[in-house]
Amino acid sequence: MQSTLSYLWKMDDVLGQGATASVYKARNKKSGELVAVKVFNTASYLRPQEAQIREFEVLRKLNHQNIVKLFAVEEIQESSKQKVLVMEYCSGGSLLGLLEEPENAFGLSESEFLIVLRCVVAGMNHLRENGIVHRDIKPGNIMRLTGEDGESIYKLTDFGAARELDDDEKFESVYGTEEYLHPDMYKRAVLKKPQQKAYGVTVDLWSIGVTFYHAATGRLPFIPFGGPRRNKEIMYKITTEKPSGAIAGTQDQENGPIAWTYELPIACRLSLGLKRQLVPVLANILEADQEECWGFDQFFAETNDILHRTIIHIFSLSQVSMHRVYIHSYNTATIFLEQVFSQTNIAPHHQEYFFEGHPCDLEPNLQAHNFPRTTENSPLIMLSMELEDPVGLRYRDPALEFPKFLPKIDVVVDCSTAKGVLTATYQTLRISQSFLQCQELLLSGLYWVSETLKTECLQILEKRQAIVATFGCLQQEEMKLSRLYETIAAEGEIPEMKTMAELKTRLQAVSEEISRYAHSISEHQATIRCILSEVGKKWSQLKEDRSIQKMEACLDKMQLIYSQFKKVRKCLRLGYNEQQIHKLDKVNLGHLAKKVLSVFHENCVQHYQAALSGHGTRMRKTFEMKKNLKKLNKSLTMCSTEMSECQNCLYKALDELPQRILQCKMTSSAPRQLYVNQKHQDMVFGMQELQDQMKIVAHNLQLNNSIIQRLNGIAPGL
């Protein structure tokens, strides 16, 4: 146990160790509050006095939530010379510790990475505002704690190498950790070669770039054959010969070529939307030439641009793929649709959206802050108006990632292998969870689309019924008016009779067109009922599937074995009984891994592939129905227009009837005058009766037309 005036700690409560100091978990003697104390060793006091006091001075100058706080500077009571920095304790450990967990071997989740990005950028901005260059940025010097809302907070720490430096100043001393070190500094510090260059503040940007790549992928960006610390010359070659735009370089065989990478790997857990925002940042700060590298102003501008974007979650129902679009809140739907097109290759005018069961119409000028609030589990569902083949999730078969245990006992190798097994298991579980999520969204989207189609069928039937009613009224009045004209025609030639005959033909054509719809709609309704029934069955099967729970149960057991392997790893020798237990644990871990793979391939993959296959068939039916319903609606609209013209024709004939009666009366012969007068009186009476009836018909037609227009307005997608 050691202590200062106000704090005490155990020597085995080590949080971290460096070349010049060790950090321990300590407590305040009065309050019991946990703190971190940095105790400097003998090597630290061999440094110049300026270097010894620099960290104290830098920390006193800084005050930010993303910088570890300095509470006090005290001395160990047993030794008046040993200085102790009393700092904020971060219970979550370091970012490096988080990345070394098997769960994060392929990088952090997107949400956690964005928190790291935001915190590091904010902390670095505070350093630059105070003219501080850190010179040793790496995951091990980024601490984590959990805030009151449960969200992680990351803080920069270890300012032993930090110093005050303005943007236009240079320094010549070398500090840092070699994997994260700028190539110019690497040449002098690691390769021990003369280097006449002075270094500017942008060396921190290189370290940030390596750190961000590590956080995003779980691995370093530049890896020579044998590793960075075993092949230092090639490490320097990779970092200095990196082509513009490349963000990583690896050498897979001794003296082999370097493979350059310009994108983040497929196993990376970040979405394509975020990758496209992040890659240009990495490419421009991982520049060995300090003149070509971005400055901090541009770095802050570009990273804050990412952090201030709105995330829109999208599930492409046609392609069965998840997407995230990063867009500014003031950007319009037009820009959003183009962003979706860049990820899905589905043209903007072919994109149709649903949200929580309802059609979602994104007007071209609608700004993103007025979009529905989406989440990963409640995204916008996008349907393509063109037939698309299901794409599904891109993934690497996790069976290729599971390492094999060696027969002999080697606690170090076995622990490493166990970590690899857990890493592959976590990846397998994530892929399986993605399969399940896709199937759930697939069924939800198909259900919503089917319900919409069912509504459209009912609307078309209602529209057809209104047209049929209108047609019936028109046909009756056409027959009455035709009889009157026939009576008049007996007295002479009537030109309008030809028009009446054409009207009759047109009405007959409308009647035949309408009669064809009932059967077609009935077939569509049967297909929709079939799809909805299939969706219901698939939902029941998904709810009964326990594959994820089985894999999680295996993972819990594997985690316990791995924890035991980490403890055993510290032992120099194992007794006989410990060896037997260790062997059994290796066997059990292997069995559990096989069970996970079996559940994955025999359940998760098969169910997912079956879902994709069945979904393709159902989407083709849906696409054909949508196309047919659109055609039916267009035909009904044309029928409605045709009947309006027929109605106008009837009104015109009715308006001209009195004039025709008068003409007929004037041309009648005298001997038949009395008879004709009586006949004309009957015709006038019939005309008046017809006019009264036509007023009623006109009212009904107007009502039916309003219904048809309303149905035209509320039939989405038609």
Side-chain angles (χ1 to χ4, degrees), residues 117-129 132 167 201 204-205 208 212 281 285 294-308:
L117 180 66
R118 184 178 69 242
C119 292
V120 171
V121 168
M124 286 304 304
N125 188 58
H126 185 68
L127 292 187
R128 293 312 313 136
E129 287 176 345
I132 303 295
D167 288 351
V201 296
D204 272 353
L205 285 173
I208 290 171
F212 283 168
V281 174
I285 61 177
W294 278 355
F296 268 103
D297 287 344
Q298 189 166 5
F299 169 73
F300 290 138
E302 297 295 336
T303 50
N304 279 301
D305 179 81
I306 297 174
L307 293 167
H308 285 90

Side-chain angles (χ1 to χ4, degrees), residues 657-670:
L657 185 58
Q659 184 180 355
R660 290 301 171 193
I661 293 173
L662 182 59
Q663 290 175 356
C664 183
K665 181 177 180 180
M666 291 175 64
T667 58
S668 299
S669 59

Side-chain angles (χ1 to χ4, degrees), residues 222 237-243 246-250 258-262:
F222 309 113
K237 176 183 174 67
I238 292 175
T239 55
T240 53
E241 295 183 2
K242 181 186 77 69
I247 59 172
T250 56
I258 298 166
W260 302 108
T261 306
Y262 297 82

Side-chain angles (χ1 to χ4, degrees), residues 17-20 38 124 127 133-142 156-163 171 174-182 185 203-205 207-208 211 229:
Q17 289 181 316
T20 60
K38 185 172 185 178
M124 286 304 304
L127 292 187
V133 58
H134 189 284
R135 298 196 290 184
D136 195 16
I137 294 172
K138 59 183 179 180
N141 286 340
I142 300 173
L156 298 176
T157 190
D158 193 353
F159 289 84
R163 59 164 290 180
F171 65 92
V174 176
Y175 293 89
T177 304
E178 58 185 86
E179 290 89 346
Y180 303 87
L181 206 58
H182 188 280
M185 300 177 72
V203 296
D204 272 353
L205 285 173
S207 301
I208 290 171
T211 297
R229 300 212 172 189

Side-chain angles (χ1 to χ4, degrees), residues 327-328 330-337 363-368 371:
I327 190 171
H328 289 297
Y330 54 80
N331 287 148
T332 62
T334 300
I335 296 174
F336 167 74
L337 298 180
E363 294 291 338
N365 293 324
L366 183 69
Q367 293 185 325
F371 284 16

Side-chain angles (χ1 to χ4, degrees), residues 435-454:
F435 283 168
L436 180 62
Q437 182 191 42
C438 274
Q439 291 177 78
E440 289 175 345
L441 291 173
L442 180 154
L443 293 175
S444 294
L446 195 57
Y447 176 81
W448 296 343
V449 171
S450 298
E451 285 291 330
T452 301
L453 290 176
K454 186 166 72 172

